[in-house]
């Protein structure tokens, strides 16, 4: 249904190989690594990224209950079952447990004076989220190098763009701190002394830190946040619950008026991690570029306020000035109707999705929007 095409001034991108109908599932990708948000780790399982579902209500503003199974190592992450805990210990957690215990126990606000050496392991919640994701990325890479992984996908991760030269100094300083922590993790928990990208070569500490700095930039430019409306209700803004790397989805470019939606869905079993599922928001013609939104597209009552914030977010996070049709028209003060994206019924902020993606279950590839 899609292929990678080279477009002048844009680079490689996904285009449709056939005419697509609204609601068609276009693409699915498994995460290379995935973790709960640190703020959700008490009620989102660290293995299957699931939670205990309560009766739905559009006005509900209640987080799910704390999961019943705790890590026995005291690192404060939880699981939905002993099966998930044991599976996670074998794959990831035996390497990270004591390390995460230190990370979470020293969590403080982002206003902390990081110049103090005593605070080198103290990070904001945002930084802890991507630090944990990178820890699991490195563990998965460790399994690959030792031929212990069922599938090998790090090459796709390493090919992601980094835009390392574009980050502001404040972010680079933060990355330096994270790099030092990750290097300690690699040397003490994984005992890796070979190259992350090329395991045939030995790697010095300085070379390791350079590779980790590049990996951090790749993650920050390409990871996906996972969102739901189940925690606070459909009238509230979307609620984040996890962070993941879906490296094979990198060729979806951005538009503020996208033709492709994406949503995390657990499609195989309750104990599987969520795939990212991409679907057509409208009819798409053969050869048309497939575009998603990199940022939340919620409307503000003032069109100019909405477009200004959206473009600022894109510039800060992804380093480009959006010149899509919607931005151009809204900068002129014209309101653009984004049909097929949001519900807006009775104040609902939810997304319109194909009927076969409403629940976490197996799907066809030809279901239509509800």
């Amino acid at each position: 249904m899609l292929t990678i095409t080279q477009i002048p001034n844009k680079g490689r991108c996904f285009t449709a190989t056939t005419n697509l109908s609204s609601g068609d599932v276009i693409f699915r990708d498994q995460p290379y690594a995935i973790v709960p948000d640190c703020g959700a780790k008490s009620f989102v399982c660290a293995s299957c990224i699931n939670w205990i579902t309560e009766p739905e209500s559009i006005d509900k503003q209640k987080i799910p209950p704390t999961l019943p199974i705790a890590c026995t190592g005291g690192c404060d992450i939880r699981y939905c079952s002993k099966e998930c805990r044991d599976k996670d210990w074998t794959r990831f957690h035996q390497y990270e447990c004591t390390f995460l215990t230190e990370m979470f126990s020293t969590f403080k606000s982002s206003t902390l004076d990081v110049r103090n050496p005593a605070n080198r392991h103290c990070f904001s919640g945002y930084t802890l989220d991507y630090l944990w994701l990178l820890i699991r990325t490195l563990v998965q890479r460790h399994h690959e190098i030792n031929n212990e992984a069922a599938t090998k996908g790090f090459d796709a991760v390493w090919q992601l763009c980094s835009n390392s030269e574009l980050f502001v100094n404040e972010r680079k300083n933060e990355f330096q701190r994270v790099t030092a922590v990750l290097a300690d993790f690699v040397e003490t928990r994984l005992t890796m002394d070979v190259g992350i990208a090329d395991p045939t070569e030995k790697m010095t500490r300085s070379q390791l830190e350079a590779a980790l700095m590049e990996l951090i930039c790749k993650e920050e430019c390409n990871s996906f946040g996972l969102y739901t409306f189940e925690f606070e209700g459909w009238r509230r803004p979307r609620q984040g619950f996890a962070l993941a790397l879906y490296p094979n989805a990198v060729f979806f470019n951005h538009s503020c008026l996208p033709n492709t939606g994406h949503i995390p869905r657990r499609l195989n079993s309750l104990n599987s991690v969520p795939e990212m599922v991409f679907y057509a928001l409208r009819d798409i013609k053969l050869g048309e570029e497939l575009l998603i939104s990199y940022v939340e597209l919620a409307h503000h009552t003032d069109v100019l306020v909405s477009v200004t914030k959206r473009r600022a977010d894109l510039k800060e996070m992804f380093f480009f000035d959006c010149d899509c049709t919607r931005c151009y028209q809204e900068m002129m003060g014209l309101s653009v109707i984004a049909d097929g994206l949001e519900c807006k019924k009775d104040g609902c902020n939810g997304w319109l999705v194909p009927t076969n993606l409403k629940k976490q279950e197996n799907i066809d590839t030809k279901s239509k929007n509800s």
Side-chain angles (χ1 to χ4, degrees):
M1 288 188 176
L2 78 175
T3 189
I4 299 173
T5 303
Q6 186 79 25
I7 294 182
N9 301 320
K10 294 192 73 172
R12 292 181 295 174
C13 60
F14 281 136
T15 57
T17 58
T18 186
N19 291 326
L20 299 169
S21 299
S22 177
D24 285 352
V25 173
I26 302 170
F27 184 69
R28 294 161 51 177
D29 196 18
Q30 288 276 355
Y32 184 81
I34 185 169
V35 295
D37 288 350
C38 290
K41 67 182 185 297
S42 67
F43 57 86
V44 174
C45 177
S47 179
C48 68
I49 318 298
N50 208 348
W51 58 84
I52 297 173
T53 302
E54 295 187 324
E56 294 187 16
S57 168
I58 194 170
D59 292 314
K60 179 178 69 175
Q61 295 186 35
K62 180 181 179 182
I63 63 172
T66 299
L67 291 170
I69 308 299
C71 165
T72 56
C75 72
D76 203 29
I77 68 172
R78 304 189 71 87
Y79 300 94
C80 62
S81 67
K82 291 182 179 179
E83 177 187 0
C84 270
R85 182 188 64 190
D86 295 344
K87 178 181 177 181
D88 195 50
W89 179 264
T90 301
R91 292 182 59 206
F92 294 109
H93 201 51
Q94 63 175 305
Y95 303 96
E96 67 183 14
C97 183
T98 56
F99 205 76
L100 291 181
T101 300
E102 181 180 1
M103 292 294 98
F104 294 148
S105 66
T106 57
F107 167 71
K108 296 181 181 179
S109 73
S110 59
T111 59
L112 189 73
D113 183 5
V114 298
R115 296 168 295 181
N116 184 343
N119 296 329
R120 65 185 297 267
H121 284 181
C122 298
F123 298 102
S124 68
Y126 175 91
T127 305
L128 281 174
D129 287 343
Y130 76 76
L131 194 159
W132 188 10
L133 179 64
L134 288 167
I135 284 174
R136 294 215 162 186
T137 299
L138 291 166
V139 173
Q140 182 67 10
R141 179 54 171 163
H142 170 75
H143 291 323
E144 288 185 12
I145 292 173
N146 290 286
N147 296 313
E148 299 169 348
T151 59
K152 295 189 176 183
F154 188 78
D155 285 349
V157 173
W158 195 249
Q159 290 170 12
L160 297 172
C161 69
S162 68
N163 293 318
S164 55
E165 73 284 358
L166 298 179
F167 285 95
V168 298
N169 287 335
E170 182 180 357
R171 295 302 311 280
K172 290 179 180 179
N173 291 336
E174 173 193 310
F175 295 166
Q176 289 285 359
R177 295 175 60 231
V178 174
T179 292
V181 172
L182 289 175
D184 289 346
F185 174 78
V186 170
E187 292 181 340
T188 61
R189 304 307 200 275
L190 301 182
T191 61
M192 286 172 54
D193 61 354
V194 297
I196 295 172
D198 184 1
T200 64
E201 297 182 354
K202 294 289 184 178
M203 181 174 281
T204 65
R205 172 75 182 211
S206 61
Q207 290 171 327
L208 172 61
E209 291 188 353
L212 290 171
M213 174 66 83
E214 186 74 4
L215 184 62
I216 292 169
C217 294
K218 292 175 186 293
E219 179 280 325
E220 282 295 89
C221 289
N222 295 279
S223 59
F224 281 78
L226 278 65
Y227 299 91
T228 185
F229 289 91
E230 290 191 23
F231 302 158
E232 298 182 2
W234 298 89
R235 288 196 175 102
R236 303 283 293 174
R238 63 182 186 173
Q239 300 109 50
F241 65 91
L243 185 67
L245 277 172
Y246 295 95
N248 297 309
V250 65
F251 300 113
F252 285 103
N253 282 327
H254 167 83
S255 173
C256 298
L257 202 61
N259 57 18
T260 303
H262 58 287
I263 191 169
R265 280 293 178 262
R266 187 173 290 100
L267 302 176
N268 297 316
S269 72
L270 288 177
N271 288 327
S272 66
V273 296
E275 298 179 46
M276 191 62 74
V277 183
F278 298 82
Y279 56 93
L281 289 167
R282 58 168 173 79
D283 292 347
I284 299 173
K285 295 180 180 179
L286 168 67
E288 189 174 346
E289 184 179 2
L290 302 172
L291 300 164
I292 65 173
S293 174
Y294 292 175
V295 295
E296 189 172 14
L297 294 177
H299 284 281
H300 190 279
T301 52
D302 187 318
V303 171
L304 193 57
V305 170
S306 179
V307 65
T308 300
K309 182 182 185 308
R310 193 171 66 240
R311 297 182 83 238
D313 289 344
L314 289 166
K315 183 69 172 179
E316 178 182 356
M317 293 186 289
F318 301 103
F319 309 112
F320 67 87
D321 295 305
C322 186
D323 59 356
C324 72
T325 301
R326 179 179 179 184
C327 281
Y328 176 78
Q329 293 183 351
E330 289 184 346
M331 288 298 289
M332 300 294 290
L334 303 174
S335 180
V336 177
I337 299 176
D339 290 331
L341 300 182
E342 299 172 300
C343 175
K344 294 304 180 185
K345 181 180 180 181
D346 297 327
C348 176
N349 283 317
W351 308 303
L352 294 175
V353 300
T355 53
N356 58 339
L357 291 180
K358 282 186 175 181
K359 297 181 179 180
Q360 308 270 19
E361 57 190 14
N362 292 329
I363 63 170
D364 302 319
T365 57
K366 288 291 182 181
S367 294
K368 307 303 179 186
N369 284 346
S370 59

